[in-house]
Amino acid sequence: LLICSEIRRLEEPAVLGKRWKDTADTVIVGGGCVGVSLAYHLAKAGRKDVVLLEKTELTAGSTWHAAGLTTYYHPGINLKKVHYDSIKLYERLEAETGQAVGFHQPGSVRIASTAARVDEMRYQMTRTHWHVTPQYMIGPEKVQEIFPLINMDKVLAGLYTPGDGHIDPYSLTMALAAGARMYGAQIYNPAPVTGLEPTADGRWDVQTPHGTIRANRIVNASGFWAREVGKMVGYEHPTIPVHHQYVVTATVPEVKALKKELAVIRDLEGSYYLRQERDGLLFGPYEKMEKMVLQDSWVRDGVPPGFGKELFESDLDRIMEHVEMAMEMVPVLKKADIINIVSGPITYTPDLLPMVGPFQAVRNYWTAIGFGYGVIHAGGIGKFLSDWIMNGEPPYDLIECDPNRYGKWADVPFMCAKARESYGFNNVVGYPKEERFAGRPTVRTSGVYQLLRDRASMGFHAGWEQPHWFYKPGDDKGYEPSFRRTNWFGPVGRECQLVMERVGVIDLTPFGKFMVKGKDSHKLLDRLFANNMPKVGLTNISHMLTPNGRVYAEVTITQLAPGEFLLITGSGSELHDLRWIETEAAEGGYEVDVTNVTDDIGVLGIAGPNSRKVLQKLTDEDMSDAGFKFLHCKSIKLAGLPVRAIRISYTGELGWELYMDQKNMAAVYQAMMEAGKDEGIDNFGTYAMSSLRLEKGFRGWGAEMNCDTNPLEAGLDYFIKLNKPADFIGKAALQEIKAKGLKRKLSYLSLDTDDIDPEGNETIWHNGKVVGNTTSGAYSYSSQQSLAFAYLPMELCSVGQKVEVELLGRKYPAMVIQEPLVLTEPTRTRLQKKEKSKA
């Protein structure tokens, strides 16, 4: 299977030839472009005590054989910043280090040959206009001008990104290494890591054949050796090598005759990229799931010792379907001679995104692994991690790459199934609310999953299956993605009406759930959260802030007993938040016990005007407004089973969240459904909850607030107690922000749309200029209009201000309105009591 290749093989010295360091601030394991970039950025930022260990030679692994593509484009919002930082670094790196990097920037074009692709490009344009990245949607004539060798028969449009191109990965890595050394970092090779031992004070002993280094932190940047390095600290990271092939041709006369370099093209329907390589062409396909090859033996048996600058045996037959499509799109390929087929390992995670940042439960262990596109990510990720290490917080939100998004549920079968899917789906149309179904369900299913699985369209949240919306007879069932309103639109409206007028039940089990107790529990939480801690039996909403006063997390906190707290967070930030809490507890020396009980506790939400009647039938507890007040918590018996009930609902309607042992969920659910027959009880899903929370003006973490926003501009003033005695993290920064005044503010918009609704991250225009972006959006079934939250400059935040929101290439009129559109049930009840008292 494995054959030796001499491509770009350079001999490295067999011994270190330099003095060994016994201590370091940061030890980076792995000398590919990502690891070397981090060494460069840390050293340049002033962290001199940086050591990089490479087991054989720099670039060994996946870097040396990469195709080297660089692009500003990314369908996600946050990774655009990574790509931007990479390209800007690569543009200046040669002048800075004196090392040639072979950077070509002819631009690139993504080809649309179907109507859905055209919509996708319009969708991506509105998500790009508020970023600094230059990107243009162009017509067929412009596509041909940029790439004159293309067959125009199927070209409908293109997404053009000037400044894109390709770089020589070996030269890039060597330039980064030269820069790292220039700024004071040490690079040792060959220096394989043979062991990683934690010390009692949170540091690491990094063992190698040359000796041991005591490090303040270690960063696993070891590419397809990531699992081996992870096992040294007790973790099996969900990364797996896949076989990726690209083809290089001999000189093509038509290419040689061109006066300027061809732009890179990406034929999305053909699922391949193609660029100029000297006077020939290079193109690389992404095969379908059933044809692609995983190197799963490396997961089972480990990477073969000594594998570094070797390749796999090529298999042209496996990619012939894509070769033929490339020949049809670029006809000169038909006559081109193939001189090389490169087939090498690149590393995939289940969702194709890298795992970047500090790891939960293992102090001072960081990862920069799982890069399917390491060359374009290297520069930006090196800067991102360096900034985080230097400043104690991430420079911007990148939670989609958080290494803690995977738990123990991400086992080998799941990883393999998802890696196949992610590779095979590399160039599928990227719809909003996208779902992918390989590897599901995982071991994470709630106690009511079996009861609901065939009645709902399920979503995937941190390993859990959770209903998005429910079917009724006559509904168009199943997952039907679209850029416009689709088959779920009507049913979701039905569910919103259910909650507003009768009573609905929702599975909320995916919430992250932690128990914090011990002598210093109150003191720790007072340090972590900007709100006051609730009294025993009460609940509140609290926020963890970064040192610079940005919103790291939103958590619901209940004090169950003196010094015993239940913390509830969103499913997507479970281990992300737990890591932050555990780190502060350890570094601050607090005597506390922090336990993750997410998998043990099931959660059902019940909401609607009839919810009290249903629960009252099943318990002897007084569920009246006076007997069970808003934001109160009680341990009750429901249908004879123990339940911890909190009077709160993210729909904004009368409701409770019911926390119970997973094994009791089905019985409690069935009892409620039986008891609620006369009250019109039924199920509702997360899509309805999202619409209802937006109507009530509820902010959502990850949308209206994250590590890019501070709580004052997000309108969270009520939850931020700047006058509380405790010096909570971010307090000083927030006081400074308040004193200086805000530059922007979260605003509430109504939109005049047709068959499309905002979802967040759309561009906002005013007088022909980009002025902001939406953060989330939905259709309000109560008022029959589209709503969105959006960040706008202070001068455009007044109620009545008119702006435009770009959706699928069209600018729709929008207006700032008073929030909330619909009052919450507690507010309505309070106002009604006030009116009665006046009467």
Side-chain angles (χ1 to χ4, degrees), residues 505 508-509 601-606 615 623 628 634 636 638 643-646 648 655-660 665 668 672:
V505 176
L508 298 174
T509 301
I601 298 177
V603 188
L604 292 172
I606 182 169
L615 294 180
M623 304 300 290
F628 204 140
K634 294 184 179 183
I636 67 174
L638 208 60
V643 169
R644 183 171 283 125
I646 302 175
I648 191 173
W656 281 261
E657 288 176 2
L658 309 170
Y659 293 79
M660 67 205 76
M665 274 192 80
V668 172
M672 287 197 300

Side-chain angles (χ1 to χ4, degrees), residues 433 690-691 693-694 703-704 751 757-762 774-779 786-789:
K433 295 180 171 63
S690 294
S691 173
R693 73 97 180 165
L694 202 64
E704 284 69 55
L751 287 76
D757 300 295
E759 63 158 17
N761 296 314
E762 293 95 359
T774 61
T775 55
S776 60
Y779 185 75
S786 289
L787 298 176
F789 271 124

Side-chain angles (χ1 to χ4, degrees), residues 444-448 464 507-516 560 564-569 574 595-604 642-646 657-666:
R444 268 191 156 177
T445 55
S446 79
V448 294
W464 298 96
D507 182 7
L508 298 174
T509 301
F511 282 159
K513 316 166 197 83
F514 319 131
M515 296 295 296
V516 180
L560 305 174
E564 182 177 344
F565 296 86
L566 172 65
L567 277 57
I568 306 298
T569 188
E574 174 195 343
T595 308
N596 187 356
V597 294
T598 299
D599 290 346
D600 302 324
I601 298 177
V603 188
L604 292 172
V643 169
R644 183 171 283 125
I646 302 175
E657 288 176 2
L658 309 170
Y659 293 79
M660 67 205 76
D661 194 302
Q662 283 272 21
K663 69 177 185 294
N664 293 334
M665 274 192 80

